[in-house]
Amino acid sequence: MAADSTVFDPPSGSLGRSVGRGALVTGGSQAVRLACQFASVIVLSRLLTPEHFGIVAMAAPVMAFIGLFQDLGLTQATVQKKNITHGEVNTLFWLNLAISMLLAALMVLAWPLVTRFYGDPRAGVLVAAMSLQLVLVGGTGQHLALLNRRMEFGRIAILDGLSAVLGLAVSVIWALVDPTFWALYAGGTATALAGLAGGWMLSRWRPGLPRWTPGAGRLVHFGAGITGFNFANFFSRNLDNILIGRYRGNEELGLYDRAYRLLLFPLQQVTNPLSRVMVPALSRMTDQPDRYRNAFLRVIPILLLVTLPGVALAVALADILVPFALGQQWIGSAVIFQALGFAGLLQPLNNPSGWLFISQGRSTEFMRWGVFVALTSIVAFVIGLPYGAFGVALAYAVSEYVRTPFLWFYIGKRGPVRAGDVTRVAFPFVVGAHLAVGVLWALRPHLPQDPLPALALGTVLSYLMVIAFAALFAPGRATLRECLQLLRRRQAAVI
């Protein structure tokens, strides 16, 4: 295939406009994905039992662990590199696909080991079946990376939205016909298949014959640091499920998994896709430190304003929210949800740190930070495990507070963004959200008895309190003014 610069190069127009449009369409896509996620949690939690979710939660860490070695950071390398050739992308594609097929075979071989570890043959069968999803994802990684590199966020948004809707529809239909854990697997497979078909259609890139391109070596080296971080991060994200499933059983794991997915998973669904916009944009500003710093510091407080009041509401009114959303049979998840919620008050601030590491080419430092997070998380999980899923959730939240200052001092020692810069813009919203938790807790006995009015009133109060506190500080006022301007532009565009 002849090289076509339009396949590899980002748009030549205004980067600011591309980022702005990207943020809008990504926000719209995530609204669809979050709606599907909440619908999945609410609908499927009523169609399936905690045991079914527990089986999937047992298999998920195996899939996540093997998946660490699937991408090898090569898609991020494609996005981050300023100039890339067809030969380099072609090499990375075949590497991704070959590794995916090898890892899929390992998942099938792991079937009896997983069955023996958990003492549940259903978990082993599910792990073997998940190998198909691994191959589907591996076949489209570079296509999606090229869309991201070219900042074609509209196409990515359409693909994400359609994939999410299809996955939800398949899961719900399957659960109505056959209410087992296979409904969740079917939805995940449908999502992966839609991503494969859409990625190939939209990217306009087709691989050639397998061959090694010399320039690919540097990309593999960069990706190794990303893989190192992902490897370490696996333990902080999945060891809690493994320990709870092994020592507390699949029912308690099901309660923990639902609490996690109702709160922290939606937060990740906001910050992770936003990285699609920010990483390629910041990667092209590394030689303009002032512009780079300003771009990052404008996005972070808006992200905090959008997410943190909702988290504060969820923490304070967990005993209302969880049974209202999931049903009374999930009331045991409420205290777990509440403990995880405190970690959720910091994760919208901390997760975007990856944008800085990756866009600045600091993948080795990113890996080192991932190791530190993994070690501290493992210590927290072990400390909390004797107290069950609630103890694990609470210990994890405490570890998040301990790590946060170290994170920003570590990343701020190099590059345009310093720890003081982040503290200045984040303080009004992070502290305001914590104050909102306290006020809502105090007002809890005075809220309406019906769940829907109580949650609606709590949401309004939470946002008002965070906005009022942020307005006391100059960075907070600047963010509020910018949000108003964005809303006016959006309204004018609609009219």
Side-chain angles (χ1 to χ4, degrees), residues 290-428:
D290 290 338
R291 190 182 179 198
Y292 183 106
R293 180 172 54 255
N294 290 336
F296 183 79
L297 296 178
R298 287 176 64 189
V299 171
I300 290 301
I302 295 176
L303 175 62
L304 298 179
L305 175 60
V306 170
T307 58
L308 290 189
V311 178
L313 162 78
V315 173
L317 304 184
D319 60 324
I320 299 175
L321 176 62
V322 171
F324 174 74
L326 305 183
Q328 286 296 327
Q329 72 271 29
W330 294 91
I331 189 64
S333 286
V335 292
I336 302 171
F337 179 93
Q338 200 163 51
L340 287 172
F342 283 97
L345 289 170
L346 292 179
Q347 289 202 349
L349 170 64
N350 294 339
N351 287 350
S353 63
W355 309 346
L356 302 181
F357 282 117
I358 295 171
S359 64
Q360 294 172 29
R362 297 163 60 183
S363 62
T364 301
E365 292 177 54
F366 197 27
M367 177 184 66
R368 291 171 183 161
W369 176 254
V371 172
F372 176 74
V373 172
L375 292 175
T376 53
S377 295
I378 290 170
V379 171
F381 297 152
V382 172
I383 291 173
L385 187 60
Y387 305 96
F390 170 75
V392 171
L394 184 60
Y396 174 71
V398 171
S399 71
E400 191 76 15
Y401 281 82
V402 172
R403 285 190 297 264
T404 295
F406 290 101
L407 167 62
W408 292 106
F409 278 113
Y410 179 63
I411 200 169
K413 68 179 183 179
R414 289 178 52 199
V417 179
R418 303 296 180 182
D421 298 328
V422 176
T423 302
R424 176 174 53 83
V425 300
F427 176 87

Side-chain angles (χ1 to χ4, degrees), residues 69-428:
F69 307 98
Q70 175 183 22
D71 180 75
L72 294 180
L74 301 182
T75 55
Q76 290 285 9
T78 298
V79 174
Q80 194 271 342
K81 193 171 187 290
K82 286 193 174 181
N83 297 294
I84 197 166
T85 67
H86 168 76
E88 290 170 339
V89 178
N90 188 65
T91 299
L92 299 186
F93 167 81
W94 287 109
L95 276 175
N96 278 146
L97 186 58
I99 292 168
S100 297
M101 296 179 70
L102 175 62
L103 294 175
L106 291 177
M107 288 186 71
V108 175
L109 294 175
W111 177 348
L113 297 177
V114 174
T115 297
R116 181 177 301 177
F117 180 81
Y118 286 118
D120 192 328
R122 295 171 296 180
V125 173
L126 184 57
V127 165
M130 284 179 168
S131 62
L132 173 61
Q133 298 177 356
L134 203 69
V135 175
L136 294 175
V137 172
T140 192
Q142 288 300 314
H143 296 81
L144 297 179
L146 288 173
L147 286 172
N148 192 11
R149 174 184 175 83
R150 296 198 305 262
M151 300 187 187
E152 294 189 4
F153 302 118
R155 294 188 174 197
I156 296 174
I158 292 171
L159 180 57
D160 280 350
L162 291 177
S163 298
V165 172
L166 177 62
L168 173 61
V170 170
S171 286
V172 171
I173 293 171
W174 192 298
L176 289 170
V177 176
D178 177 31
T180 65
F181 61 89
W182 290 112
L184 302 173
Y185 168 80
T189 303
T191 299
L193 185 59
L196 175 67
W200 278 68
M201 286 191 297
L202 296 176
S203 69
R204 307 192 308 275
W205 180 79
R206 298 293 180 269
L209 295 175
R211 60 181 301 176
W212 179 262
T213 300
R218 292 188 298 273
L219 297 172
V220 173
H221 177 75
F222 174 84
I226 305 296
T227 301
F229 170 82
N230 291 336
F231 180 78
N233 194 49
F234 165 83
F235 293 97
S236 61
R237 295 296 187 189
N238 294 280
L239 190 61
D240 48 354
N241 283 347
I242 294 172
L243 292 174
I244 294 172
R246 177 68 175 83
Y247 294 103
R248 309 295 295 195
N250 56 28
E251 185 169 351
E252 190 164 349
L253 176 58
L255 295 174
Y256 182 87
D257 177 69
R258 288 296 88 187
Y260 183 93
R261 290 185 176 275
L262 188 59
L263 180 65
L264 296 186
F265 186 79
L267 287 178
Q268 293 167 12
Q269 292 300 301
V270 174
T271 56
N272 290 351
L274 190 55
S275 69
R276 294 175 179 171
V277 178
M278 295 305 298
V279 169
L282 292 174
S283 296
R284 284 151 188 80
M285 300 180 192
T286 51
D287 55 350
Q288 305 172 67
D290 290 338
R291 190 182 179 198
Y292 183 106
R293 180 172 54 255
N294 290 336
F296 183 79
L297 296 178
R298 287 176 64 189
V299 171
I300 290 301
I302 295 176
L303 175 62
L304 298 179
L305 175 60
V306 170
T307 58
L308 290 189
V311 178
L313 162 78
V315 173
L317 304 184
D319 60 324
I320 299 175
L321 176 62
V322 171
F324 174 74
L326 305 183
Q328 286 296 327
Q329 72 271 29
W330 294 91
I331 189 64
S333 286
V335 292
I336 302 171
F337 179 93
Q338 200 163 51
L340 287 172
F342 283 97
L345 289 170
L346 292 179
Q347 289 202 349
L349 170 64
N350 294 339
N351 287 350
S353 63
W355 309 346
L356 302 181
F357 282 117
I358 295 171
S359 64
Q360 294 172 29
R362 297 163 60 183
S363 62
T364 301
E365 292 177 54
F366 197 27
M367 177 184 66
R368 291 171 183 161
W369 176 254
V371 172
F372 176 74
V373 172
L375 292 175
T376 53
S377 295
I378 290 170
V379 171
F381 297 152
V382 172
I383 291 173
L385 187 60
Y387 305 96
F390 170 75
V392 171
L394 184 60
Y396 174 71
V398 171
S399 71
E400 191 76 15
Y401 281 82
V402 172
R403 285 190 297 264
T404 295
F406 290 101
L407 167 62
W408 292 106
F409 278 113
Y410 179 63
I411 200 169
K413 68 179 183 179
R414 289 178 52 199
V417 179
R418 303 296 180 182
D421 298 328
V422 176
T423 302
R424 176 174 53 83
V425 300
F427 176 87

